[in-house]
Amino acid sequence: MSDWEFIEVEREGRVGIVRFNRPERMNALGAELGSEIREAFEEFNADPGIGAIVTTGNGRAYSSGADLSARMAGDFDRPQKRPPGAHPWTPEFLAVECKPLIAAVNGIALGIGLTSILWYDSIVASTAARFSMRFAAIGLTPEVSSAWMLPQVIGLQAAKEMMLTGRIYSAQEALELGLVNRLVEPDQLLPEAVALGQEIAANPASTLRTVKRMTFDAMFAPDLETVEQDSRVTFDAALQTPEHREAVRAFVEKRAGRFHDAEYMRGIAEEIRQG
């Protein structure tokens, strides 16, 4: 793994963990922090030993949003110790290209600290978490296509109220809105998120990628017929995969699947190739 300045990276089993590590700025997302997060995601994506990724924040914030103080000071235009690369905050990257993503929201999640995780695969929140689409209150508009995505998650009227008021919502209110999937005590936040990640990561990596792609494509499909056709073609293809054959074999033999044993799975692929 790379050397990091603004994040901490670790792994627990098949789960990669990325901690935003600018607690003095409430993990505000500047260019360098964003490029480090992207780099960490890419390294986990390329690692066959990782099946899911959890992000969380150090200190009392998950992320307070974009680093406006750096923007006002012109920091983005100055030479940086670590030249910024691509940022990770695009719907396609988060929802399709990344391995399953889980946000473990430990504190305040404002602006892009919230809009980015709308494209994650699950949000686990501490009872100390807070959420806000703060944009209108600071003369800005929602980004990362969140004006489209937030209504899909919590409903149109609730989303418009959240965006138009800029109000800060409690963790319990977020749970009731359906904005978060699970609510736990602070000391249980990371264990809960990692346990969920382990459960997801136990499944075949190729299947998880396909499910993420199917879900994203279905959201933007022009009609149900397109969705049904994609579902049918993808399902038929899945029936012929080594992953499905191993799942059936494991079921019959009453054992866990060996989906992540590369040599074993190559053997099954060869069985299929030979008919």
Side-chain angles (χ1 to χ4, degrees), residues 234-255:
T234 305
F235 185 83
D236 289 345
L239 289 172
Q240 309 305 317
T241 61
E243 289 76 16
H244 177 63
R245 177 168 291 194
E246 165 58 7
V248 173
R249 185 174 294 174
F251 176 78
V252 171
E253 296 174 0
K254 297 182 172 58
R255 58 171 176 80

Side-chain angles (χ1 to χ4, degrees), residues 29-32 66-68 70-80 84:
L29 295 170
E32 287 184 298
D67 191 348
L68 298 181
R71 185 175 297 161
M72 292 296 290
D75 287 355
F76 292 159
D77 300 323
R78 299 174 185 165
Q80 303 290 345

Side-chain angles (χ1 to χ4, degrees), residues 113-129:
L114 172 56
T115 59
S116 58
I117 63 178
L118 295 175
W119 296 96
Y120 276 36
D121 303 292
S122 186
I123 301 174
V124 182
S126 157
T127 52

Side-chain angles (χ1 to χ4, degrees), residues 11-17 43-54 98-102 121 194 196-209 212 260:
R11 58 190 300 157
E12 190 168 328
R14 288 185 52 77
V15 176
I17 302 169
E43 290 190 8
F44 281 141
N45 284 341
D47 185 346
I50 293 295
I53 303 168
V54 170
C98 272
K99 290 178 177 178
L101 288 165
I102 301 164
D121 303 292
V194 169
L196 175 59
Q198 301 284 24
E199 183 179 357
I200 292 170
N203 295 316
S206 60
T207 306
L208 296 175
R209 284 195 302 270
K212 288 195 63 164
H260 311 299

